[in-house]
Amino acid sequence: EAQVTQNPRYLITVTGKKLTVTCSQNMNHEYMSWYRQDPGLGLRQIYYSMNVEVTDKGDVPEGYKVSRKEKRNFPLILESPSPNQTSLYFCASSPRASGGAVADTQYFGPGTRLTVL
Amino acid sequence: SQKIEQNSEALNIQEGKTATLTCNYTNYSPAYLQWYRQDPGRGPVFLLLIRENEKEKRKERLKVTFDTTLKQSLFHITASQPADSATYLCALDNQGGKLIFGQGTELSVKP
């Protein structure tokens, strides 16, 4: 089944404790992206990747890191989480080729609900 | 700065009627505009994409228009059903990988 998976689905942690949220897709998509969703602020892009070893900042990259060493995986790293990073996080992938070719469909993962105390 | 607005936080309509949702944007020249559906606690689901050189696109009961002069997209659901109740998001795509989402419009279709 074609899908985007995220782990963990729920996480409660404390300020300053490094964490990684994994994202994996089995559709051989070039493009992957991370978003956070907060009430009243909607869905905001954190980072995106057009292909392996290519990552770029979205609208809210502060406090986050990403890496794209393999096509299928795009982990989100919070080096020193803070309470304002408490949010619902979504990973997504799309068959978009490097160079800005057409993205016909963006597939979203089920979400990771993160609470930072 | 770039801004994208979806009209009204909630839209209530009667089953069978046409729902029309609006997406307006400023300070942006998107190559594409996308529409998604999101149910509570779930990830968004892609519905339609329309290119800047397309005026209208249809898929079953869905229709999207894109007016780059007015900087507006309209999303229509004809013959609406209670199962269409959800939050609908529009997103601007500049073809470079960066996407900007609107806050969404919550649609409620009453039987």
Side-chain angles (χ1 to χ4, degrees):
Chain A
E1 181 190 352
Q3 62 183 343
V4 177
T5 56
Q6 296 179 226
N7 282 292
R9 294 288 315 279
Y10 303 90
L11 179 61
I12 300 174
T13 189
V14 294
T15 299
K17 187 177 180 182
K18 181 179 178 180
L19 66 92
T20 299
V21 184
T22 64
C23 174
S24 183
Q25 50 95 2
N26 61 0
M27 296 168 280
N28 201 37
H29 287 167
E30 289 84 6
Y31 179 88
M32 296 186 76
S33 185
W34 275 104
Y35 301 88
R36 61 178 289 174
Q37 190 169 36
D38 303 286
L41 296 176
L43 206 61
R44 294 178 293 167
Q45 192 176 39
I46 303 171
Y47 271 96
Y48 61 95
S49 170
M50 297 289 267
N51 214 326
V52 175
E53 301 292 359
V54 180
T55 62
D56 276 297
K57 295 177 181 179
D59 274 339
V60 288
E62 296 79 18
Y64 304 95
K65 282 176 57 178
V66 293
S67 68
R68 188 91 182 273
K69 293 185 171 55
E70 312 166 273
K71 201 171 191 180
R72 63 182 294 129
N73 296 321
F74 190 44
L76 179 70
I77 303 154
L78 285 72
E79 294 269 3
S80 183
S82 62
N84 65 12
Q85 292 178 298
T86 292
S87 187
L88 179 58
Y89 291 87
F90 290 104
C91 179
S93 74
S94 170
R96 180 198 293 261
S98 163
V102 173
D104 214 49
T105 302
Q106 188 168 207
Y107 295 86
F108 278 77
T112 294
R113 189 167 292 280
L114 172 66
T115 301
V116 183
L117 302 174
Chain B
S1 62
Q2 301 152 357
K3 195 174 179 184
I4 178 170
E5 283 186 351
Q6 294 187 240
N7 75 323
S8 68
E9 289 190 7
L11 180 63
N12 298 304
I13 65 168
Q14 207 65 35
E15 183 176 8
K17 300 291 186 185
T18 296
T20 299
L21 287 67
T22 304
C23 178
N24 293 296
Y25 60 93
T26 57
N27 299 323
Y28 207 72
S29 296
Y32 310 98
L33 193 144
Q34 304 176 2
W35 282 90
Y36 293 80
R37 169 186 174 136
Q38 186 174 25
D39 293 287
R42 313 285 294 264
V45 174
F46 174 86
L47 295 175
L48 281 169
L49 175 148
I50 187 165
R51 293 164 175 74
E52 61 179 335
N53 60 354
E54 295 178 318
K55 294 287 187 197
E56 182 180 299
K57 199 153 189 181
R58 292 174 186 259
K59 180 182 175 183
E60 297 171 354
R61 294 184 296 111
L62 309 180
K63 184 178 88 170
V64 172
T65 62
F66 192 13
D67 188 326
T68 55
T69 302
L70 289 179
K71 295 187 182 296
Q72 180 182 79
S73 174
L74 298 178
F75 178 79
H76 306 273
I77 305 174
T78 58
S80 58
Q81 306 164 0
D84 295 326
S85 298
T87 296
Y88 291 85
L89 309 171
C90 67
L92 303 180
D93 178 352
N94 68 353
Q95 198 178 8
K98 203 165 182 179
L99 269 76
I100 300 175
F101 279 81
Q103 291 190 333
T105 297
E106 186 178 345
L107 174 66
S108 179
V109 182
K110 303 294 184 191

